[in-house]
Amino acid sequence: MLIRSTSHLPAILFLLFAAASLVCSSTPPAQELLRGFTATPDPSVSSFQSLLQDSTGNFSLGFLRLNSNQLALAVLHVPSNEPIWLANLNQLVRWSDRTQLLFNGSLVISDPITKVFWSTETDGNRVVLLNSSNLQIQNSNASPTVPWQSFDFPTNTVVENQNFTSTMSLVSSNGLYSMRLGNNFIGLYAKFEADTELFYWRHRALEAKANIVEGGGPIYVRVDPDGYLGMYQNGSTPVDVEAFSSFQRNNNGFLMVRLEPDGNLKGYYWDGSTWVLDYQAISDPCELPSPCGPYSLCTPGSGCSCLDNRTEISSGRCDASYPDNLCGVDGGESANNFNVLRKNGVELPFKELITYQTTSSQAECEGLCERNCSCYGSVYNNGSRFCYLVDYPIQSLLSDGDESKMGYIKISESARKKKITAGLGVGIGLLGGAMVCLIAAVGVGSYRMWRRRRRVKRMLEEEDGGAIPGPYKNLGSGSSRSIEMT
Ligand SMILES: *[C@@H]1O[C@H](CO)[C@@H](O)[C@H](O)[C@H]1NC(C)=O
Ligand SMILES: *[C@@H]1O[C@H](CO)[C@@H](O)[C@H](O)[C@H]1NC(C)=O
Ligand SMILES: *[C@@H]1O[C@H](CO)[C@@H](O)[C@H](O)[C@H]1NC(C)=O
Ligand SMILES: *[C@@H]1O[C@H](CO)[C@@H](O)[C@H](O)[C@H]1NC(C)=O
Ligand SMILES: *[C@@H]1O[C@H](CO)[C@@H](O)[C@H](O)[C@H]1NC(C)=O
Ligand SMILES: *[C@@H]1O[C@H](CO)[C@@H](O)[C@H](O)[C@H]1NC(C)=O
Ligand SMILES: *[C@@H]1O[C@H](CO)[C@@H](O)[C@H](O)[C@H]1NC(C)=O
Ligand SMILES: *[C@@H]1O[C@H](CO)[C@@H](O)[C@H](O)[C@H]1NC(C)=O
């Protein structure tokens, strides 16, 4: 037996060598990048080209292909292919051999002929990816100081142990929603048109264990591996603890919190095979900033319909458009630049964050809106006499059933047939695909939570479909809403 196998030794050694060289021929991604490093995108790579790995192999920095021929520098969670950080989201570059990533002290994305697209503007010695997913530029080996780290420039996601401070913001992949910190709260904001911002969700610090001290410095938040979103001022005792489902359950899955394209803030943990939904800021879909799209009605527990009861909601949208001109003309409705839709039994979502005035009648409330060139509509409460003016492009109103709440809505004179514009479809690139996978994976976990609201969810999926990451460079100007509005 022994003799026989020894006689095969050369062959076995050869096979081992062959196998080893096979493995090694595809060079594994580096563990650090030093000055002089350059890389260009490989035309044969269809999704992600890894350039740098963390020590566990769970995270990777590389070129992420988006919209088929564009590129973002991204940190990916490798087991799920989920991008958790993007460098150049405001200016994607072409997936072409003229595009180059280099490290010369700064990490730079450039096109040698035209320009520098993105740069960390640092003077460091090396680039490393920590096992926390934090990409760092460090400038000495002995006791590294860190002139730059990706944790300070989050995209739409914060991961566990990442500090989110009052100077940062999260922006959803479609550019519509953002998260920022106030002096004692976490705020979510929507941008449905260029110069107005809608404040739609606020979580104030409870200050149960520690108080926020005025003048004691800005607050920051951090996802704690024990399953909560902690808010801190300058001490280690949180001024607020927003518990996730996994709170104190010791499940030790890697946690992240993401501002989703529907405007919800969600927490997930990685259970080794999928991202499991662990937290959502807004649990009632009707309280999302635009669950059913423009000029719609969201009925809790039942779903989406249109404000104009003569129209049907189709492909998740109501067939109505905003007036080009909101200015009313003195001398009666017929002369106005818009039509008016009146609907009773409606309520503004998150109205506790919207200022109101008191008027003596519905007519007076409507009058305030009618002549105001930035007012899209009003809701008058005939009981409390509160008059709410809507100064953002009207999205979904809540169906309330209380007929004393009276909606007055400006709407375009000619109901224009809207088509899904090509621009929306183009955006669904690889990141879109990855998000769809995440949504699908998460969907399984959250199915039970949502089952009771299945009809709403069906509509929401349509909404998600339209809102999946568009070309990032269109941020601000070319969101799906502004496409409709132009
Ligand atoms: C690094 O390269 C960029 C792009 O070529 C250049 O603008 C920058 O000055 C360089 N920095 C250093 C320290 O050489
Ligand atoms: C991550 O890195 C830290 C510090 O280098 C180390 O203490 C920790 O054990 C690492 N975690 C894993 C999972 O490798
Ligand atoms: C987060 O902030 C805490 C407190 O200031 C600090 O100790 C910790 O190092 C920070 N973490 C990171 C990853 O920067
Ligand atoms: C931290 O907060 C305390 C009050 O709790 C305050 O007296 C102190 O000045 C703060 N320190 C800094 C550095 O802001
Ligand atoms: C990292 O990889 C290990 C196995 O190598 C796995 O157990 C762990 O869940 C991974 N962590 C993340 C955040 O993916
Ligand atoms: C639509 O609503 C108006 C009043 O809001 C009502 O008079 C009308 O009957 C409704 N039409 C349909 C088709 O439900
Ligand atoms: C018009 O409405 C907006 C939004 O409600 C309000 O801020 C503004 O003061 C109003 N303008 C006038 C002239 O009433
Ligand atoms: C509004 O309130 C007034 C007085 O409280 C009442 O007379 C009127 O009928 C109410 N209108 C509606 C539509 O509920």
Side-chain angles (χ1 to χ4, degrees):
M1 198 60 192
L2 188 68
I3 292 167
R4 248 173 88 165
S5 48
T6 328
S7 68
H8 287 92
L9 199 58
I12 290 166
L13 282 178
F14 174 78
L15 283 174
L16 279 176
F17 177 76
S21 62
L22 204 69
V23 168
C24 298
S25 66
S26 59
T27 42
Q31 297 262 340
E32 64 176 11
L33 309 179
L34 299 174
R35 278 172 182 261
F37 168 87
T38 63
T40 53
D42 178 342
S44 70
V45 169
S46 63
S47 58
F48 183 73
Q49 181 179 344
S50 178
L51 304 168
L52 176 68
Q53 256 186 8
D54 80 312
S55 59
T56 65
N58 282 335
F59 301 105
S60 179
L61 172 80
F63 296 135
L64 179 67
R65 197 190 273 267
L66 294 170
N67 309 327
S68 84
N69 65 353
Q70 290 183 299
L71 172 159
L73 183 66
V75 171
L76 213 70
H77 175 249
V78 175
S80 63
N81 279 328
E82 191 56 41
I84 50 183
W85 179 78
L86 296 179
N88 53 319
L89 87 167
N90 288 320
Q91 197 161 27
L92 296 177
V93 291
R94 285 175 57 79
W95 190 283
S96 112
D97 56 8
R98 290 196 353 204
T99 299
Q100 192 180 50
L101 176 73
L102 62 88
F103 181 62
N104 62 358
S106 298
L107 201 52
V108 177
I109 303 172
S110 70
D111 171 331
I113 294 156
T114 48
K115 62 170 183 170
V116 170
F117 287 97
W118 178 84
S119 167
T120 57
E121 290 169 0
T122 46
D123 187 20
N125 295 116
R126 56 179 197 146
V127 184
V128 292
L129 186 56
L130 304 186
N131 65 15
S132 58
S133 84
N134 193 4
L135 180 70
Q136 286 192 335
I137 294 179
Q138 301 178 342
N139 63 8
S140 97
N141 281 340
S143 64
T145 56
V146 180
W148 183 94
Q149 57 180 4
S150 62
F151 270 18
D152 293 340
F153 303 92
T155 311
N156 61 356
T157 306
V158 286
V159 301
E160 61 181 39
N161 293 322
Q162 177 174 2
N163 294 326
F164 181 83
T165 71
S166 58
T167 60
M168 301 175 186
S169 66
L170 293 187
V171 178
S172 64
S173 59
N174 53 12
L176 283 177
Y177 308 109
S178 59
M179 168 175 138
R180 296 193 301 273
L181 299 179
N183 53 357
N184 63 353
F185 64 88
I186 305 172
L188 298 181
Y189 305 83
K191 212 168 176 95
F192 293 121
E193 66 181 5
D195 45 6
T196 50
E197 206 174 40
L198 167 67
F199 185 20
Y200 66 89
W201 184 80
R202 174 175 60 198
H203 176 74
R204 271 214 185 99
L206 221 53
E207 305 182 52
K209 290 192 174 136
N211 289 321
I212 294 179
V213 178
E214 220 176 301
I219 59 161
Y220 63 95
V221 297
R222 184 169 62 220
V223 179
D224 191 283
D226 282 343
Y228 64 90
L229 190 62
M231 200 188 290
Y232 305 83
Q233 193 177 27
N234 66 11
S236 56
T237 311
V239 295
D240 186 74
V241 168
E242 180 82 328
F244 296 174
S245 307
S246 67
F247 183 50
Q248 291 179 332
R249 281 214 218 124
N250 260 343
N251 57 4
N252 291 328
F254 183 78
L255 287 161
M256 69 167 178
V257 165
R258 170 168 289 179
L259 185 55
E260 297 289 4
D262 64 0
N264 209 348
L265 183 70
K266 293 187 177 179
Y268 305 94
Y269 68 85
W270 178 248
D271 74 353
S273 56
T274 74
W275 289 101
V276 179
L277 185 66
D278 202 16
Y279 167 75
Q280 49 185 349
I282 300 170
S283 53
D284 181 349
C286 283
E287 289 287 337
L288 290 171
S290 183
C292 311
Y295 291 110
S296 61
L297 196 60
C298 192
T299 310
S302 143
C304 296
S305 55
C306 292
L307 274 177
D308 182 350
N309 63 3
R310 291 162 306 179
T311 60
E312 287 278 311
I313 197 156
S314 63
S315 44
R317 294 275 157 149
C318 292
D319 186 15
S321 51
Y322 300 109
D324 295 328
N325 186 339
L326 296 168
C327 300
V329 181
D330 270 334
E333 247 163 49
S334 58
N336 284 334
N337 296 307
F338 46 80
N339 281 343
V340 168
L341 197 61
R342 286 193 175 77
K343 180 98 181 164
N344 289 355
V346 296
E347 181 78 290
L348 288 179
F350 33 88
K351 71 172 193 309
E352 64 281 3
L353 296 173
I354 297 175
T355 55
Y356 57 84
Q357 37 200 305
T358 308
T359 60
S360 58
S361 67
Q362 178 189 19
E364 188 185 341
C365 179
E366 287 185 2
L368 289 177
C369 182
E370 181 177 6
R371 289 183 295 277
N372 186 325
C373 297
S374 59
C375 184
Y376 284 85
S378 65
V379 174
Y380 182 67
N381 184 329
N382 197 43
S384 65
R385 299 178 185 264
F386 291 167
C387 172
Y388 296 87
L389 299 185
V390 181
D391 63 353
Y392 58 91
I394 285 208
Q395 307 294 318
S396 311
L397 297 186
L398 288 175
S399 173
D400 178 84
D402 177 352
E403 290 291 311
S404 71
K405 291 173 182 168
M406 301 178 279
Y408 161 91
I409 299 114
K410 295 177 183 175
I411 190 166
S412 170
E413 291 175 292
S414 52
R416 183 163 47 96
K417 194 82 191 160
K418 285 195 300 326
K419 299 187 188 88
I420 301 284
T421 36
L424 282 179
V426 174
I428 305 172
L430 179 97
L431 184 58
M435 295 257 178
V436 168
C437 292
L438 177 66
I439 288 164
V442 165
V444 174
S446 57
Y447 177 67
R448 268 164 245 115
M449 295 176 70
W450 285 77
R451 190 163 48 185
R452 274 174 297 140
R453 305 191 176 105
R454 220 165 49 212
R455 283 180 61 197
V456 173
K457 186 174 184 316
R458 204 177 52 214
M459 300 305 181
L460 289 175
E461 275 165 352
E462 300 283 356
E463 171 73 7
D464 276 353
I468 272 167
Y472 277 107
K473 64 179 174 183
N474 285 347
L475 276 186
S477 66
S479 70
S480 56
R481 290 316 182 288
S482 32
I483 288 169
E484 272 147 33
M485 281 155 55
T486 49

